[in-house]
Amino acid sequence: MTTVAAKPATMAQALTRALRDAMAADPGVHVLGEDVGALGGVFRVTDGLAAEFGEDRCTDTPLAEAGILGTAVGMAMYGLRPVVEMQFDAFAYPAFEQVVSHVTKMRNRTRGKMPLPLTIRVPYGGGIGGVEHHSDSSEAYYMATPGLHVVTPATVADAYGLLRASIASDDPVVFLEPKRLYWSKDAWNPQEPAPVEPIGRAVVRRPGRSATLITYGPSLVVCMEAAEAARAEGWDLEVVDLRSLVPFDDETVCASVRRTGRAVVVHESGSFGGPGGEIAARVTERCFHHLEAPVLRVAGFDIPYPPPMLERHHLPGVDRILDAVGRLQWEAES
Amino acid sequence: MTVMEQRGAYRPTPPPAWQPRTDPAPLLPDAEPYRVLGTEAAGQADPDLLRTLYARLVSGRRYNAQATALTKQGRLAVYPSSTGQEACEVAAALALEERDWLFPSYRDTLAVVARGVDPVEALTLLRGDWHTGYDPYEHRVAPLSTPLATQLPHAVGLAHAARLKGDDVVALAMVGDGGTSEGDFHEALNFAAVWQAPVVFLVQNNGFAISVPLAKQTAAPSLAHKAVGYGMPGRLVDGNDAAAVHEVLSDAVRHARAGGGPTLVEAVTYRVEAHTNADDATRYRGDAEVETWRRHDPIDLLQRELTERGLLDEDGVRAAREDAETMAADLRARMNQDPRLDPMDLFAHVYAEPTPQLREQRDLLRAELAAEAESGAAEGGHR
Ligand SMILES: Cc1ncc(C[n+]2csc(CCOP(=O)(O)OP(=O)(O)O)c2C)c(N)n1
């Protein structure tokens, strides 16, 4: 067998490849959503699937998110593995009733008799200059609903691996795609894609000794940049990429925080009632005696997502992260 | 004292008792879209109205071209053009009285402008400097709605409230063909019919929802047919015939104002340009279809009628174009100025009173901005 060298690929390409491979491997995998057929999705993630697998396997639906997810529930009930595409974060809300009332509860209501193996792909987050309703970070809503897995890749390899794992999962998965990373490139070998790891493992992207940045999805890139910049100020930052918000990898996160003694959680969505609160509480409960400072959060403001011309002030940037890192030199109040 | 008694002006008029409809026939739309231009009915049309419609169409077309050009210069984040659909946009707005309300969809900037909203303010959403640039109460225009069909129940509620207060206000709610598949569309129609709310729903059927053709959106003979099941009349009109759209909508508005309840109007038109400047229409449709529709252009149709009837000469055409050019030049000049934005506005209107948490965040941003200013960081200096 000739080996193909790793070439740069975008996250969108890796996602397409994951869908294609999953559909080829299992005839029960069906893709449905708005504009997923001839157009290949507005982000082209489903490009070519309708041509290769036919319109019954990759289906342009009527424009109705509740209908898309609701019918996917029925398809999953009958043994298929639907993968639905929600066009943008804020347009998934009409389907939220299906998420909350049925998708997350079906296994439980039926005492395990009716699991729902379905994947809900949601492009999410800002930083792409989109007008309102195109930049929401909706992960907290999904995290707060028991019965769902919530995963989000930050690298090209993870985009492939996590999507394959999500489709293979016997439970419903909300697969959050950081849309500003769609066109980010990594060297990636489609012939030898990273092994599909089970959902729920965080990974240390950058080892360090003085503090841990805990992050995921679109904020990973910013955190890596901040870690580089922090070197000049004598900070050696470790960066943990969660990859999965539900289930949550306490082990990897806490092992890191125990090593470094300090932690900052970074994400785009608002801090009040946001993912960072949960993460900070977990870390505090488990690592209290190792902590040299409170766990801090650097998040988007608690405001409706702002218009594009102001979004740079809203999104956590390198400076805001470095400020928080500075505050980790905590001194107990006298 | 009850709330009702407190408000002297509150004049509740309960909706008429629900009458089961035994004969759906009067509700059914005609098989063919209603036309005026090029038919005998055109003789009855008011010449002044036709000339006004013409001037507005020419201006609307120019507005679409200008806004599209502004996206290429990076002055607009995105622009969903309504080129080819100007007759629906303009005639819809002109069918309303001043006291009426418009509930536009994200493509309906032209209808918003036709209501009297400043063209620049109508574009702030698409420019990206604020979500809604105009005061909805000033011209009775709700914010342009990006999530599809979600504004339709609002239109029903507002019209219902006006009626309860004894005001003869009508709400016109606009939606695309794709939007008719959303649950909100169906719930809005049902509420409107049950409450006999003074609402007119205008569906601009332009053939596509982004890439998805109508045939994949509905199996109904027409979108106007959807009205019948809810118990309201459905009307089918040629959306490129400004006189016909105006007549049908005016009838529906009159009917609603007189207490006759809602109407669903489907205007059959075509989206000549791509979905937005960011869309590649060649992926889902061929040129031949577009060309057919270009030959059924709303401006040409009206111009031909006016010219044949001696209501418009070359000078008139030139004058309309010149006015449109002036509008475009003004729009261009004003859009080319950088908007002045205050980042502190992020916190200005989240609540009537900011929460303590928001005040903290406001202080953080203020400190960041001060530090930025001090370090003389130029634009882009912020990381
Ligand atoms: C609830 C919701 N889902 C999806 C979208 C994304 N989207 C924006 S425009 C559009 C197509 C709309 O088609 P149609 O209703 O026919 O209106 P047109 O664009 O043709 O004017 C879609 C799917 C949205 N804005 N809102």
Side-chain angles (χ1 to χ4, degrees), chain A residues 5 42 62 83 110 124 137 147-148 183 187 195 214 217 229 233-234 262 275 291 313 330 334:
Chain A
V42 292
V83 182
T110 61
Y124 82 121
S137 293
L148 276 182
W183 305 280
I214 305 168
E233 288 163 46
R262 295 176 167 86
L291 285 172
H313 297 291
W330 179 261
S334 50

Side-chain angles (χ1 to χ4, degrees), chain A residues 34-35 63 65 87-88 90-91 94 134, chain B residues 85 106-107 146-148 150 175-180 182 204 206 208-210 271 275:
Chain A
E34 293 157 11
D35 302 287
L63 207 171
E65 294 75 13
Q87 205 159 71
F88 277 90
F91 304 145
H134 288 79
Chain B
Q85 302 177 220
Y106 73 101
R107 197 182 292 283
T146 308
L148 299 167
T150 47
V175 65
D177 42 294
T180 66
E182 290 282 1
Q204 290 180 69
N206 65 7
F208 289 89
I210 306 190
R271 194 192 75 215
H275 169 65

Side-chain angles (χ1 to χ4, degrees), chain A residues 32-37 39-42 46 59-66 68 85-88 91, chain B residues 148 182 209-212 217:
Chain A
L32 52 156
E34 293 157 11
D35 302 287
V36 298
L39 191 68
V42 292
T46 58
T59 310
D60 273 336
T61 62
L63 207 171
E65 294 75 13
I68 295 168
E85 173 171 309
M86 294 288 152
Q87 205 159 71
F88 277 90
F91 304 145
Chain B
L148 299 167
E182 290 282 1
I210 306 190
S211 69
V212 179
Q217 205 65 246

Side-chain angles (χ1 to χ4, degrees), chain B residues 12-150:
Chain B
T13 42
W18 184 70
Q19 298 280 330
R21 297 200 189 252
T22 47
D23 178 14
L27 304 181
L28 277 168
D30 296 335
E32 285 297 314
Y34 178 68
R35 296 206 167 90
V36 167
L37 300 177
T39 75
E40 276 170 24
Q44 267 101 64
D46 172 11
D48 284 341
L49 171 70
L50 294 185
R51 276 191 291 244
T52 303
L53 284 170
Y54 177 75
R56 298 290 195 110
L57 289 191
V58 172
S59 166
R61 171 77 39 99
R62 188 66 189 85
Y63 186 98
N64 277 327
Q66 186 57 58
T68 303
L70 287 166
T71 61
K72 299 201 175 105
Q73 294 150 24
R75 284 291 174 182
L76 284 180
V78 67
Y79 185 71
S81 167
S82 59
T83 295
Q85 302 177 220
E86 292 94 342
C88 306
E89 297 280 321
V90 167
L94 294 192
L96 296 178
E97 302 284 340
E98 211 178 299
R99 62 186 176 287
D100 296 334
W101 274 77
L102 177 72
F103 284 78
S105 217
Y106 73 101
R107 197 182 292 283
D108 301 322
T109 325
L110 280 193
V112 170
V113 171
R115 281 292 281 171
V117 171
D118 180 314
V120 170
E121 290 185 358
L123 283 176
T124 52
L125 166 72
L126 301 164
R127 165 150 80 176
D129 61 342
W130 203 251
H131 299 311
T132 298
Y134 50 90
D135 174 355
Y137 288 101
E138 195 181 334
H139 299 283
R140 290 168 207 83
V141 179
L144 288 155
S145 182
T146 308
L148 299 167
T150 47

